[in-house]
Amino acid sequence: QARGLRRAQAQVFMPNAAYEPVYEGVFGRLDIPAHSFEPPYGVEGTRRWLACVAALFGREKEAKRAFERAFAAMADDWRALRGRALGKTLAFVVVRSQLPRLSDARFFWGVPVIRVLREMGFKVGVLLYGQSGRGPLNGFTTPEALAKLLAEGEYGAVYSEFFYDERLVRAGKIQFALSVFEPGLRGATGTLERLLSAVQWSFYRRYAPYLGGVGP
């Protein structure tokens, strides 16, 4: 593929702030037009991305027909899964400096997590360190306050990048991570299935008092 790169008519980059130096330093030196579109996560994101790429070559109509055929084959499953997700809430625990990650896919390895979760029917909660009070963002300033928010919140699952996050285990919450998200139409249904499996798994809710270990 690398040997054939110079024959390409366009380069399409996934938005990812961590890779931007590579995009510029390596691929930016090539005399090939470069483009970056909102990534193909979720049904609507996949449709838009495909349309943008197809437009580079004047193939919008063909891409639209291909998308419609592919989505028709999975539409019933997607709607059924989405119906199961409606009303369920997933949460993120962040510090203020991490807030841009939730709204800008460039800072979350190219995954527009909030947009995708809302498209799937989930509600999204944010627990923000360093802020007091409640509102769109539930604030906390101590480990005890976070534990209370987690335990009392009706969160089906909570995002964490820590393996076996004891803060969540003690609160009886299952965790999910970026690894559950996959691009494309098949990826959309697969992602939703994995999230629903996490939400429905009751093991931590039932056995939290025995799994939390020690410590604050």
Side-chain angles (χ1 to χ4, degrees):
Q1 288 179 332
R3 284 192 294 268
L5 180 59
R6 288 189 177 276
R7 297 194 299 271
Q9 295 176 271
Q11 300 181 88
V12 179
F13 298 139
M14 298 290 276
N16 190 331
Y19 290 164
E20 285 175 357
V22 177
Y23 292 160
E24 179 62 28
V26 178
F27 300 102
R29 298 174 182 271
L30 301 176
D31 189 22
I32 304 172
H35 309 270
S36 181
F37 306 120
E38 185 179 356
Y41 286 87
V43 171
E44 187 59 22
T46 299
R47 184 195 65 76
R48 285 197 300 264
W49 183 88
L50 180 60
C52 289
V53 174
L56 299 177
F57 307 98
R59 303 295 296 274
E60 298 95 325
K61 291 182 179 179
E62 294 88 340
K64 184 175 184 293
R65 287 195 294 267
F67 175 87
E68 290 173 348
R69 286 195 303 269
F71 181 64
M74 56 161 277
D76 290 343
D77 289 341
W78 170 256
R79 295 187 182 104
L81 290 168
R82 190 176 184 278
R84 290 165 53 193
L86 290 174
K88 295 179 172 59
T89 302
L90 303 182
F92 294 81
V93 181
V94 299
V95 298
R96 186 168 295 278
S97 62
Q98 293 174 320
L99 282 175
R101 300 178 71 196
L102 301 183
S103 57
D104 189 338
R106 292 174 53 249
F107 300 109
F108 219 152
W109 294 97
V111 182
V113 289
I114 300 298
R115 178 185 64 73
V116 172
L117 292 177
R118 286 176 173 164
E119 180 190 40
M120 291 176 173
F122 291 109
K123 297 178 182 178
V124 176
V126 177
L127 282 61
L128 180 63
Y129 173 72
Q131 178 171 308
S132 59
R134 300 197 175 190
L137 304 177
N138 284 319
F140 67 95
T141 55
T142 65
E144 293 76 18
L146 173 60
K148 188 172 188 296
L149 284 174
L150 288 172
E152 294 178 353
E154 296 183 2
Y155 306 125
V158 181
Y159 181 86
S160 177
E161 296 173 351
F162 296 103
F163 178 76
Y164 194 73
D165 192 330
E166 289 197 5
R167 299 171 304 172
L168 307 185
V169 173
R170 286 195 294 266
K173 306 299 184 186
I174 187 68
Q175 71 184 73
F176 71 101
L178 202 60
S179 58
V180 304
F181 292 87
E182 289 187 35
L185 290 179
R186 290 184 180 179
T189 55
T191 298
L192 184 46
E193 286 174 339
R194 285 187 288 274
L195 288 170
L196 286 171
S197 293
V199 168
Q200 293 163 358
W201 198 47
S202 62
F203 184 84
Y204 284 168
R205 290 194 294 271
R206 293 166 59 190
Y207 295 106
Y210 310 101
L211 297 173
V214 297

